[in-house]
Amino acid sequence: YDTKSGGMVFYSAEDGLKADSIRAVSEGEGGLIYAGTVDGLSVIDNNGTIRNPEAFSDIAGIRSLTGYEDIVCGVTNGGELFSIKGEELLGILKCDIEGVDYTCVTLGDRNNMLAGTSDRYIDTLYSDGDVPEVKERYDTGDVSYFNNIWYDDENKEFFFCAENGLGAVEENGGIICPL
């Protein structure tokens, strides 16, 4: 959508997207738009040119994308978490708990990500331009399989919704669950 002209542009696989089924969209460095599809990740630049970088060839089935400044993070249907900068893949991470996958991701404050899992855990991860590492893990008790996480930058806390409830984690790490 062009805010100046009010015009819209539509993109499809015919135009170069990895697939027509788009599951997530995020904006990254320099206004790049990332379109997460069922078949992979496409990048649309400011001129409307669609690229499918070779560096993203191992990323498919995107279910969640989020971006902050120059870092974009996502989660695949296979439960992997990935982080990218521009057209460079910074890293891919699987949850270190057997049988547990990542289900959603959002960026917290700079270089910190919050990732929900298919179990009752939310991980805080840190990346300094490499593979993200788990910094802290929150156990939300009976609330599990996270669909979305929203970080409140002003209050330094985050809210989550899951298959069987919702809650919040306060700045001091206290868990309010369920809300």
Side-chain angles (χ1 to χ4, degrees):
Y1 177 74
D2 185 331
T3 57
K4 293 178 184 166
S5 71
M8 289 188 181
V9 178
F10 297 92
Y11 296 100
S12 69
E14 189 173 292
D15 300 312
L17 287 179
K18 294 292 271 183
D20 284 331
S21 181
I22 299 169
R23 302 290 172 91
V25 176
S26 186
E27 184 176 5
E29 182 176 36
L32 293 176
I33 301 297
Y34 297 85
T37 75
V38 294
D39 288 336
L41 188 62
S42 297
V43 181
I44 305 168
D45 69 19
N46 292 331
N47 298 317
T49 303
I50 300 171
R51 293 189 300 279
N52 297 298
E54 182 65 30
F56 301 164
S57 62
D58 291 335
I59 302 171
I62 312 299
R63 66 180 285 149
S64 175
L65 281 176
T66 188
Y68 177 77
E69 293 183 3
D70 58 347
I71 304 291
V72 173
C73 301
V75 171
T76 68
N77 283 338
E80 296 175 322
L81 183 141
F82 62 88
S83 58
I84 56 180
K85 180 177 182 179
E87 294 186 16
E88 176 188 0
L89 176 63
L90 300 176
I92 296 176
L93 180 70
K94 295 278 291 173
C95 186
D96 61 355
I97 302 171
E98 187 175 337
V100 176
D101 294 323
Y102 287 114
T103 57
C104 63
V105 65
T106 193
L107 286 170
D109 55 3
R110 185 77 179 129
N111 295 340
N112 287 298
M113 296 169 267
L114 300 163
T117 68
S118 58
D119 205 324
R120 62 185 201 224
Y121 305 105
I122 296 175
D123 287 349
T124 299
L125 302 120
Y126 175 80
S127 175
D128 61 357
D130 202 353
V131 178
E133 295 179 18
V134 176
K135 194 166 89 173
E136 189 168 3
R137 178 165 284 150
Y138 298 98
D139 184 337
T140 60
D142 293 333
V143 176
S144 63
Y145 205 101
F146 298 90
N147 294 313
N148 202 357
I149 300 172
W150 178 71
Y151 180 72
D152 179 357
D153 192 44
E154 185 177 325
N155 295 309
K156 307 295 184 212
E157 59 190 9
F158 59 92
F159 299 88
F160 54 84
C161 61
E163 287 297 308
N164 62 349
L166 66 145
V169 177
E170 299 172 306
E171 182 179 14
N172 64 8
I175 297 172
I176 304 170
C177 190
L179 277 180

